[in-house]
Amino acid sequence: MKNYKIAPLLLLAAGLAGACGNKQQQQAAGPQAQAIPVTTDVVTAEIVAGVEAYPGSVVPLNETDLRAEVSGYITGIFVADGASVSQGQKLYEIDRTRYEAAAQQAKASLAIAEANLDRITRDVARYRKLAEQDAIARQTLDYAETDLNNAEAQVASAKAALVTATTNLNRSTIVAPFGGTIGISQVRAGALVSAGTTLLNTISSTTPIAVDFAVNQRNIQQFVTLQKQGNIEKDSIITLSLAGGTVYPLPGKITVIDRAVDANTGTITVRATFANPDGLLRAGMNTNVRVRTTSETEQLVIPYQAVTEQLGQSAVYVVTDSSTVEERLIRLGAKVADRVVVREGLSLGDEVVTQGLINLRSGAKVTVQQPAKPE
């Protein structure tokens, strides 16, 4: 009797298990079959007037390290850290005592050498007259002319020593090689500095100032044209966006395009210069260079909200038929308001998803709620 009771129980358990399995399969299959509601728009072609942004870095047109050219103790600092300086302005002084003494000694040595040369010159002139009359031995004149050559050499040597001493004396005073802004002093009064090694400070020019940025080699011709345009600054074609989105108030102009394309990145460095009267732009600042452009031919354009970005790549979902989407990588161009230029990856008339992107994947079924119509 026990065996007859167990059999129905096993059948019942198997039936329940089968029912649960069918239910799980239906639940798993349900979302895959369910279409996702989306909104779409189509790729259009139009003449685009927009702004392209390039990351840039502020660099001074002139910048140099100030180093001691003679050794000694710092006896004077004549400028405040971070101050604006003019060309030739006195900045630092190294103890001048021994350099002044060396200059005075060199002057005295030159005076002695010149006096000796003058005496020997007169002697030679006299000996030559006597030699013409055979009044002195020829050897005496030869010795005198040798002394004259030696005296002339001593004068030349003394002059060179005076130049060296005077140069060292002058170098004990460090002046600004050009106008600009000086940094924070690396030495203080009383510090011992060594010729050619000790860094005193750094000075850089402030206005005009430059911003370097890299552009794709495909755009070289565009920037060559901008460099040649005389009204580029007046028309505010080149502008800057600073950290926090602040727009720099003064426009710039393209002044330099580097000599070669970087083979590793396929980009070339372009330099724009800007007036900087208030010193707002500082060396090393990160900025965005904004270049206003108008396309010569029609460009493919889509709503920017259709673009997804991940790991530096841009993509869109394209409706391949009435109910399926495909993810497609694209290359973007200039952004214009809420729309963006697509340089690669799409064709005119392609239908792209603009809303409902969060649940999409390639091959997903969709229901287009608001089909876009070409303008």
Side-chain angles (χ1 to χ4, degrees), residues 228-245:
K228 294 178 180 178
Q229 288 181 1
N231 60 345
I232 181 174
E233 206 167 2
K234 180 180 178 181
D235 294 342
S236 299
I237 294 176
I238 308 293
T239 57
L240 279 185
S241 176
L242 307 181

Side-chain angles (χ1 to χ4, degrees), residues 102-122:
Q104 292 297 329
Q105 183 178 1
K107 286 180 181 179
S109 296
L110 176 60
I112 293 172
E114 288 177 336
N116 187 49
L117 175 61
D118 183 63
R119 177 184 62 79
I120 294 176
T121 299
R122 290 196 303 270

Side-chain angles (χ1 to χ4, degrees), residues 7 9 27 69-70 83 96 126 140 185 204 260 286 301-302 327:
L9 292 174
Q27 289 176 345
E69 294 185 89
V70 295
R96 296 166 58 89
R126 186 168 59 254
T140 302
S185 181
S204 57
N286 293 322
V301 179
I302 61 172
E327 186 178 27

Side-chain angles (χ1 to χ4, degrees), residues 26-323:
Q26 291 174 358
Q27 289 176 345
Q32 294 178 1
Q34 184 178 0
I36 301 171
V38 296
T39 300
T40 64
D41 203 339
V42 294
V43 180
T44 58
E46 53 190 74
I47 296 294
V48 176
V51 174
E52 293 188 358
Y54 302 88
S57 179
V58 178
V59 293
L61 293 176
N62 285 314
E63 184 175 71
T64 188
D65 291 336
L66 302 175
R67 296 184 183 273
E69 294 185 89
V70 295
S71 300
Y73 292 95
I74 297 293
T75 55
I77 299 177
F78 306 102
V79 64
D81 292 345
S84 296
V85 298
S86 56
Q87 184 176 6
Q89 181 177 339
K90 189 176 180 180
L91 305 177
Y92 292 88
E93 186 177 83
I94 299 171
D95 186 10
R96 296 166 58 89
T97 304
R98 60 173 171 168
Y99 300 111
E100 288 175 340
Q104 292 297 329
Q105 183 178 1
K107 286 180 181 179
S109 296
L110 176 60
I112 293 172
E114 288 177 336
N116 187 49
L117 175 61
D118 183 63
R119 177 184 62 79
I120 294 176
T121 299
R122 290 196 303 270
D123 288 345
V124 168
R126 186 168 59 254
Y127 290 157
R128 284 172 178 168
K129 289 182 179 180
L130 292 173
E132 291 174 356
Q133 302 170 5
D134 292 328
I136 61 171
R138 181 66 190 178
Q139 186 178 23
T140 302
L141 177 60
D142 292 342
Y143 286 158
E145 289 180 339
T146 299
D147 290 342
L148 176 62
N149 292 335
N150 291 339
E152 289 175 343
Q154 288 174 350
V155 169
S157 177
K159 287 181 177 179
L162 178 59
V163 169
T164 299
T166 303
T167 299
N168 288 336
L169 177 60
N170 293 336
R171 287 176 174 175
S172 66
T173 300
I174 293 91
V175 300
F178 51 81
T181 301
I182 197 166
I184 297 175
S185 181
Q186 303 299 300
V187 297
R188 296 302 174 191
L192 178 62
V193 298
S194 300
T197 59
T198 306
L199 175 64
L200 306 179
N201 211 321
T202 301
I203 184 173
S204 57
S205 60
T206 53
T207 186
I209 202 165
V211 177
D212 287 353
F213 57 101
V215 303
N216 193 287
Q217 58 186 332
R218 299 184 187 92
N219 299 330
I220 291 177
Q221 185 56 52
Q222 172 191 356
F223 287 92
V224 169
T225 302
L226 290 175
Q227 185 180 18
K228 294 178 180 178
Q229 288 181 1
N231 60 345
I232 181 174
E233 206 167 2
K234 180 180 178 181
D235 294 342
S236 299
I237 294 176
I238 308 293
T239 57
L240 279 185
S241 176
L242 307 181
T246 304
V247 177
Y248 186 67
L250 300 176
K253 59 182 179 181
I254 303 298
T255 53
V256 177
I257 298 176
D258 203 0
R259 64 171 188 84
V261 173
D262 188 325
N264 295 321
T265 63
T267 61
I268 192 169
T269 299
V270 176
R271 171 170 292 179
T273 56
F274 296 80
N276 189 34
D278 299 325
L280 181 60
L281 299 179
R282 299 279 178 157
M285 285 179 63
N286 293 322
T287 67
N288 279 321
V289 181
R290 297 164 55 86
V291 182
R292 184 160 53 82
T293 61
T294 300
S295 63
E296 296 181 359
T297 60
E298 290 187 336
Q299 306 289 313
L300 299 182
V301 179
I302 61 172
Y304 190 72
Q305 64 178 352
V307 179
T308 60
E309 296 184 0
Q310 187 174 10
L311 300 177
Q313 292 185 319
S314 300
V316 294
Y317 283 98
V318 180
V319 180
T320 57
D321 55 42
S322 60
S323 60

